[in-house]
Amino acid sequence: MIRIPEPELMEKPSQVKAYAEADFGSGDKDLIIRLKKFIADIGRNHDSITRIIDLGCGPGNISERLALQWPEAEVLGVDGSKTMVEMARFRKKQHQMKSESLKGLKYFLADIALIPKNTSLIKGPFDVVVSNSLIHHIHRPEIFWEAVKCLSSPGTIIFHKDLRRPASMKEAFELQRKYLPKAPEILVKDFLASLQAAFTCKEISFQLRMAGLDKVKVIEQEERYLQINGIF
Ligand SMILES: C[S@@+](CC[C@H](N)C(=O)[O-])C[C@H]1O[C@@H](n2cnc3c(N)ncnc32)[C@H](O)[C@@H]1O
């Protein structure tokens, strides 16, 4: 199926609210488990991770989990949507009221595409550059991978998870029926649009090669995801 990009930023308040209220808990937990395993597998000490950036952080679901896993680290969630960043900051306050320590967590409003043009926008390097469900939004992947490189230094762990594009709309509908059988209409619409906008393994592999990220690999994960990981 041909890729149909969707808008990069999620800015509509109704869309942000539906997204923030959706339960992505098991997928988010899975990302953290896989990231921790990757860090252990490459022989890196958990506590050596002191700076993490979560690109396209949305309402902060992954950033919060990162901050809880690495309570001593600086975790920076970045999103280009003001509505999302406001939602993420609001959720952080709610967590703190429950006295969950998110002291290292900060959010920053910025379009990732500006990072290569303005390297002082976000001060790198980071120990981990992570994203979840962001890459399918990206219109110019070559700029995205440039941004990842700007935020890295030798040894930085690069870790991304995203949907992958199915072969046909028939497959997309099957995935929707299987994984979002009772979701609100707005989320079902977003999910189908995201599947159409997602990249294939082959496309990401080509992007990584073009970006010179030779130590970063992409693999298919379960029925609908891609996992991209490696070291800068
Ligand atoms: C599907 S959400 C994912 C949110 C979160 N990472 C998660 O795991 O659920 C994608 C987010 O990426 C943001 N985004 C897309 N393109 C972006 C860009 N070029 N710069 C900054 N943020 C971007 C959108 O605004 C949206 O909040």
Side-chain angles (χ1 to χ4, degrees):
M1 150 168 98
I2 290 172
R3 176 174 194 242
I4 305 176
E6 57 176 350
E8 284 208 341
L9 303 181
M10 292 173 71
E11 297 186 289
K12 265 199 237 144
S14 56
Q15 188 186 30
V16 169
K17 186 171 178 289
Y19 195 84
E21 284 171 0
D23 180 13
F24 298 121
S26 64
D28 293 356
K29 201 168 149 197
D30 175 74
L31 180 142
I32 302 292
I33 291 170
R34 287 176 192 266
L35 172 61
K36 282 172 67 182
K37 183 174 180 318
F38 183 74
I39 291 171
D41 286 350
I42 59 169
R44 199 76 63 83
N45 187 319
H46 184 93
D47 295 333
S48 69
I49 305 298
T50 60
R51 295 198 83 211
I52 306 173
I53 187 161
D54 176 21
L55 296 173
C57 63
N61 38 325
I62 296 290
S63 312
E64 289 163 4
R65 286 177 187 266
L66 292 165
L68 291 171
Q69 277 301 320
W70 282 276
E72 299 308 319
E74 178 191 335
V75 177
L76 185 64
V78 177
D79 206 286
S81 157
K82 190 166 176 272
T83 329
M84 277 295 189
V85 171
E86 280 169 2
M87 177 63 81
R89 288 184 177 140
F90 172 73
R91 281 173 47 139
K92 183 185 165 191
K93 269 199 200 130
Q94 283 187 318
H95 276 280
Q96 281 172 328
M97 269 150 58
K98 287 188 262 165
S99 58
E100 286 178 20
S101 169
L102 295 173
K103 65 176 162 47
L105 176 59
K106 287 203 178 80
Y107 291 107
F108 187 64
L109 176 67
D111 189 325
I112 295 159
L114 298 178
I115 297 172
K117 286 188 208 138
N118 178 2
T119 45
S120 56
L121 186 67
I122 296 175
K123 196 186 157 296
F126 290 83
D127 299 312
V128 180
V129 179
V130 64
S131 78
N132 185 49
S133 247
L134 162 72
I135 296 178
H136 70 269
H137 283 272
I138 298 293
H139 292 183
R140 307 255 327 255
E142 67 282 11
I143 299 180
F144 171 73
W145 293 115
E146 263 328 293
V148 169
K149 284 158 64 178
C150 289
L151 299 167
S152 303
S153 66
T156 291
I157 292 160
I158 294 175
F159 200 94
H160 304 277
K161 180 179 171 186
D162 210 312
L163 290 168
R164 67 173 189 266
R165 193 166 77 249
S168 63
M169 263 330 270
K170 183 172 171 280
E171 266 183 46
F173 284 119
E174 277 165 14
L175 290 170
Q176 179 265 312
R177 277 194 292 271
K178 186 164 176 186
Y179 293 104
L180 272 82
K182 291 183 193 136
E185 200 186 323
I186 188 165
L187 280 185
V188 168
K189 235 175 108 197
D190 267 2
F191 181 66
L192 291 170
S194 298
L195 286 173
Q196 286 176 274
F199 292 102
T200 62
C201 219
K202 221 168 146 186
E203 288 164 348
I204 298 276
S205 186
F206 178 75
Q207 293 166 18
L208 292 170
R209 227 178 24 254
M210 289 296 107
L213 289 165
D214 303 327
K215 288 189 268 176
V216 183
K217 303 287 169 227
V218 53
I219 54 164
E220 292 191 351
Q221 185 192 309
E222 297 159 10
E223 276 186 304
R224 52 183 170 150
Y225 295 117
L226 293 173
Q227 183 176 307
I228 304 159
N229 59 25
I231 300 168
F232 182 66

